[in-house]
Amino acid sequence: MKLTAMASAACGLSSCGTTGSITAPITKAGKVFAQSPILRKFISPLPALGTGIPIASADTSTVPGVDLYNLSAVQYHQLMHPDLPNPTTLWGYMDQSTGKSAYLGPIIVAQRGRPSMIRATNMLPSKHPLPVDTTLMGADNGAAQNRMTIHLHGGLTPWTSDGGPFSWFTPTATGPSAGAGECFLNGISGTPGAAQYYYPNNVSARLMWYHDHALGLTRLNAYAGLASGYLMNDDVVTALTTAGIIPAIAYTVPLIIQDKSFKAVSDQYGQPGDLWYPTVYEGNSSGDETGRWDLGTPSDGFPNLGPPVTPSCVPEFFADTPVINGEAYPYLQAQPRRYRVVILNGSQARFYNLNLFYENKFQPGEPDFTRGGPAFIQIGNEGGVLPAPVVYNMPPVLIPTAADDSCDPNGPHSLLMAPAERADLIIDFSSCQPGDRLILYNDAPAPFPGGDTRNDYFTGNPDLTAIGGAPSTVAGKGPNTRTLMQIQVIALTGAADTLNFASTLNVLQSANGLPKAYHDSHIPFGEVDLDPNAANVLYETKTLNEDFDSNGRLIQRVGTGSVLYTGSFGRNYIDAPTEVYPNNQVVVWDIYNTTGDTHPMHFHLTNVQVLGSAPYVNVGTPAGPFVPPDRNYAGWKETVRMNPGYVTRVIMKFSLPTGLPFAVPGSPRAGLLGGHEYVWHCHILEHEEHDMMRPLVIMP
Ligand SMILES: [Cu+2]
């Protein structure tokens, strides 16, 4: 029984590679992990909200009381850095009212209590711009490559509008299982290849995003660009903004951080400048440990189908180029005043540990670790405003120094963000002088927390070409996954800010600051903090597991505390549901992470409260007291980091949306009992797709 196995999905060179190999050694010449063209850092501006990233325009008349957005999913091209040889081929959502595409656009701006709808038309070409692994469920048996579905991440929506994996549709879809998945119940009668999504918008102010969730293609569709912002406003945050406590929209900057790799040479999928994504499972094998991932004997339940085929999925993808708001290594010009900075980690798998440093005067483009920049005041996360502000003063930094590039996932760390996590910040630049430059710096290991030096690109790093990595990075240029963005301080325009760091923190900490905002965001809407000691609360054990699939590849799976397959708690997404509850059930889940990676677990339908975490030796038995989570995990969350060797305790209430203008049918899928079908899954996209996701079924 693998109760406490700590195998890392992409472990360090010294720790793995010789166990369970089933293939012949791969020669170094066979390594194909590509590196991007060398790009100059900080030569192009950050795309801004409303210009670089367009805001969707709503049709407010067609459906009374509803903001309607008519979007098309299309292929288009956009230059993501001036030094790239070509504009990059992308997939994305296009606002039909403008007919223009732009990366991460159009952002939808919504108001709490006013529903919105998306009518989406699938106009994607038949050939995917990225390598499709046809061994994955959903992408197999000749499935179309241009399947899509939209999930509003963070929206608490009726399940037929939740964009679950089985609700995908093609450009010719006419109904469930007719050019679409079994759960495609939101088609538009008489309009093939289109779907409509209804969002009640009954959540407090926060940054959400809508992105693809099609079975077998999610990781590729999102990487190709099918992901956009969705900004929720409410009266609470509006009041704080009107009062001048939260900076106004003119001084609000979204930062959607992703990592991408770009082709330097043409291949069968595209030309130089196009997105690169791995095609080969570079397995570690006896005598050659330069592969990136373990190969093993298929775990129980997986027939042995021989070594991985190409193209193959990979356990996780860490690209070499940070892209923010669709621009590689951008700069942001900021005045000496406060800004609201709203961050989303939209990466496939990469975590970020964020700090601001002044730029090194003698090494342009690099941080001066002795000069921390302005502090971050975090006022919100993906669950809305926090009950109290959290300050990040620079340092601490992680700066991996261990030979294997690892860190302690339990901290200390700075503003640490796993994929899909958000942070709503206020940063006061008023202590800076025009001409000052700052570096937004990341030093989270990848994978987190184990690290692999080949995924950590920084100036002067060792030449890792002998082990399938990149040459040393030269100053001022990429690849560099540590120096994400430069901030150039410019002269103040208009009146100076009336608040600075200290007075902002003071007012946020006062009773009428965030404590009141947190209360007003939830209590009038019946969203009380959940009590684990209340009557009828269900306590259950869940597990996060790592096994080997039919091709000997690493596979991540969710499970319960009981075994379906010998030797692992892991269950496949397609296995019979184990999370089935009546409407309005409150549950406490103890989620044991038996793997070597931290997993950001994401919950559809509900927000959760994190009660704490504890170490363990045996699943089912915490080996110590539960320690409260990081302070920016207070309040509500919907994506929660769960560290290896720890059990994380969350509490949540599964309440189906109410007050809908239409009846919601049950799931037609066999074994789903006619329930309303949601999912919970890891938001490392390569984990989610293979196969770290389970149904979440609520009986109406
Ligand atoms: Cu994961």
Side-chain angles (χ1 to χ4, degrees), residues 556 598-601 682-684 687 692:
Q556 316 287 326
T598 297
H599 300 278
M601 299 305 296
C682 181
H683 218 285
I684 292 175
H687 288 186
M692 205 169 201

Side-chain angles (χ1 to χ4, degrees), residues 624-641:
F626 279 78
V627 173
D630 290 352
R631 287 179 302 145
N632 66 346
Y633 271 44
W636 296 88
K637 290 279 290 176
E638 39 90 322
T639 304
V640 179
R641 296 191 309 271

